[in-house]
């Protein structure tokens, strides 16, 4: 959520590939009896969200979807100190969003995404805007999950912006520092840090054009290109759906189920968000020994575990921008539904 969606998909794809290719060292099993369930009413108290913070979050969740823009940004994560450069191109035609992500270093590559209506608000967007009443009392507000602090004005890519710090009120998610464009709500700079304040990943725009020539946005694609996966989440949901076939006995407080589909080789993928952070659970029938362990690239983590259910073995992989103890606990509390 904090960095462009297409970048996040690229990172997750690379981490999942790493999971498949690298043998794991065994990891210590965490005690699954501790923690808070989504329905637990004892959510950490917090001061009510200030109007300024609420306005920034609403702007971040709404206006960028409606804009035509192109810009270049740098990206860096803790496992690779080298700066990577990208160009993001976003435009709207006949009420539908289109997006292209171009690699500016190395081989010419491009990722494309299209098909989302600008009237389509995901559950994550609605949570950012504070629209939670329709989802029931068990879904925590963002200000019950994070402490938000306005850190003052900042100038990024030649634009006036506001720095917003989001500090988690539990150990199940990371802190983030967002610099949000005052006019458009675009996140111009983002730092995601762990519990020791060590940066896990960061990106920053270096230029931004809000009035590009639409015809130029339709120029031929790079020689190597691929389409991003279609949207999983429903448009404008009014209630939190339930997972089919699988039961997650524990998820971090404030996370809600937003979508489910089958990916390659009949792997079930389940998606969750709290508005700022996301994670996915992949469940795949497997034979033979199933390795268990952890792989990480930047802020994106993959935890692999096993499940025996109905005389079959399954490989469980939890992938997201969450701490390892969170991902392990999710993976260890999954079961089938009769």
């Amino acid at each position: 959520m904090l960095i462009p969606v297409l970048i996040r998909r690229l990172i997750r794809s690379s981490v999942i590939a790493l999971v498949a290719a690298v043998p794991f060292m065994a990891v210590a099993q965490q005690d699954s009896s501790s923690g808070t369930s989504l329905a637990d009413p004892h959510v950490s108290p917090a001061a009510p969200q200030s109007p300024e913070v609420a306005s920034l979050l609403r702007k971040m969740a709404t206006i960028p979807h409606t804009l035509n823009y192109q810009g270049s940004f740098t990206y860096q994560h803790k496992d690779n100190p080298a700066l990577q450069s990208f160009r993001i191109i976003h435009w709207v035609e006949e009420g539908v969003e289109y997006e292209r992500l171009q690699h500016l270093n190395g081989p010419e590559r491009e990722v494309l995404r299209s098909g989302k209506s600008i009237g389509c608000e995901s559950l994550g967007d609605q949570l950012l805007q504070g629209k939670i009443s329709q989802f029931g009392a068990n879904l925590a507000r963002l200000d019950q999950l994070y402490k938000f602090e306005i850190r003052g004005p900042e100038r990024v890519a030649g634009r006036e912006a506001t720095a917003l710090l989001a500090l988690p009120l539990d150990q199940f998610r990371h802190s983030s520092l967002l610099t949000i464009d005052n006019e458009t709500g675009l996140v111009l700079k983002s730092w995601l840090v762990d519990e020791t304040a060590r940066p896990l990943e960061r990106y920053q725009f270096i230029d931004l054009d809000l009035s590009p020539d639409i015809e130029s946005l339709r120029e031929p694609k790079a020689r190597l290109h691929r389409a991003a996966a279609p949207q999983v989440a429903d448009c404008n949901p009014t209630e939190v759906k339930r997972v089919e076939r699988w039961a997650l006995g524990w998820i971090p407080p404030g996370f809600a189920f937003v979508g489910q589909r089958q990916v390659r080789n009949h792997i079930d993928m389940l998606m969750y968000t709290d508005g700022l952070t996301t994670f996915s659970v992949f469940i795949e029938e497997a034979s033979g020994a199933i390795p268990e362990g952890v792989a990480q690239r930047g802020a994106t983590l993959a935890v692999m575990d096993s499940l025996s259910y109905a005389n079959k073995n399954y490989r469980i992989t939890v992938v997201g921008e969450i701490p390892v103890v969170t991902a392990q606990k999710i993976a260890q509390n999954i079961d089938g539904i009769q």
Side-chain angles (χ1 to χ4, degrees):
M1 183 70 202
L2 303 183
I3 70 175
V5 171
L6 294 182
I7 272 278
R8 176 61 63 213
R9 287 179 178 171
L10 286 175
I11 299 168
R12 288 194 172 190
S13 297
S14 67
V15 173
I16 293 171
L18 185 64
V19 166
V22 178
F24 282 103
M25 297 295 291
V27 293
Q29 299 297 305
Q30 303 294 321
D31 178 7
S32 62
S33 63
S34 61
T36 309
S37 71
L38 180 62
D40 194 323
H42 303 295
V43 182
S44 300
Q49 196 175 98
S50 74
E52 188 177 5
V53 168
S55 175
L56 276 174
L57 294 177
R58 282 196 301 270
K59 190 179 293 185
M60 188 172 71
T62 55
I63 298 178
H65 295 300
T66 69
L67 298 175
N68 296 331
Y69 65 87
Q70 61 180 348
S72 302
F73 64 91
T74 58
Y75 171 76
Q76 185 180 38
H77 62 77
K78 70 176 184 64
D79 301 309
N80 182 0
L83 281 175
Q84 302 174 58
S85 300
F86 298 87
R87 178 178 293 115
I88 185 88
I89 302 169
H90 180 277
W91 74 100
V92 179
E93 285 190 273
E94 298 181 355
V96 176
E97 284 187 81
Y98 297 86
E99 198 167 46
R100 295 163 57 185
L101 180 74
Q102 300 171 340
H103 293 249
L104 299 182
N105 301 108
E108 187 180 19
R109 292 168 291 165
E110 186 171 9
V111 183
L112 305 102
R113 179 176 71 94
S114 63
K116 181 182 177 183
S117 167
I118 60 173
C120 173
E121 288 189 340
S122 67
L123 177 57
D125 288 338
Q126 295 192 53
L127 293 176
L128 277 174
Q129 297 174 66
K131 298 178 179 179
I132 63 170
S133 59
Q134 66 266 51
F135 300 117
N138 288 336
L139 192 54
R141 303 189 315 269
L142 273 179
D143 57 9
Q144 294 176 297
L145 305 172
Y146 297 89
K147 177 185 177 183
F148 292 98
E149 297 179 2
I150 299 289
R151 301 306 293 267
E154 193 170 347
R155 188 168 177 267
V156 177
R159 299 186 59 82
E160 300 303 319
T162 300
L164 177 66
L165 179 64
L167 296 169
L169 297 175
D170 58 32
Q171 71 272 35
F172 302 124
R173 61 206 90 215
H174 294 306
S175 300
S176 57
L177 179 61
L178 312 175
T179 302
I180 303 169
D181 185 73
N182 291 341
E183 177 186 354
T184 66
L186 281 167
V187 178
L188 300 178
K189 184 170 74 173
S190 169
W191 285 46
L192 201 64
V193 301
D194 64 15
E195 65 278 2
T196 65
R198 177 184 59 166
L200 295 172
E201 67 179 20
R202 49 191 174 187
Y203 91 94
Q204 178 174 330
F205 273 90
I206 55 176
D207 65 67
L208 182 64
D209 178 7
L210 291 174
S211 54
D213 176 17
I214 297 296
E215 290 299 322
S216 70
L217 303 184
R218 305 191 193 99
E219 289 178 357
K221 299 180 286 290
R223 185 174 60 86
L224 295 175
H225 62 271
R226 67 179 178 86
Q231 294 290 320
V232 176
D234 290 339
C235 288
N236 306 318
T238 57
E239 60 182 12
V240 178
K241 290 192 170 184
R242 294 185 178 275
V243 182
E244 298 177 2
R245 190 181 177 192
W246 303 105
L248 272 66
W250 183 88
I251 59 174
F255 278 90
F257 172 65
V258 294
Q260 176 175 355
R261 68 183 174 91
Q262 282 200 336
V263 293
R264 64 185 188 282
N265 299 325
H266 305 289
I267 301 173
D268 287 322
M269 182 180 75
L270 320 176
M271 293 184 62
Y272 293 80
T273 186
D274 69 357
L276 283 181
T277 302
T278 63
F279 69 84
S280 301
V281 179
F282 297 85
I283 306 174
E284 174 187 11
E285 187 174 342
S287 58
I290 299 175
E292 300 177 5
V294 179
Q296 187 167 12
R297 181 160 295 169
T300 302
L301 176 89
V303 164
M304 202 170 185
D305 210 327
S306 59
L307 168 68
S308 295
Y309 172 71
N311 297 319
K312 293 181 180 179
N313 294 323
Y314 295 87
R315 178 183 294 110
I316 307 293
T317 309
V318 179
V319 181
E321 298 70 56
I322 52 179
V324 62
V325 292
T326 306
Q328 287 174 331
K329 190 167 181 180
I330 294 167
Q332 293 161 12
N333 285 274
I334 298 176
D335 203 354
I337 299 174
Q338 297 290 345

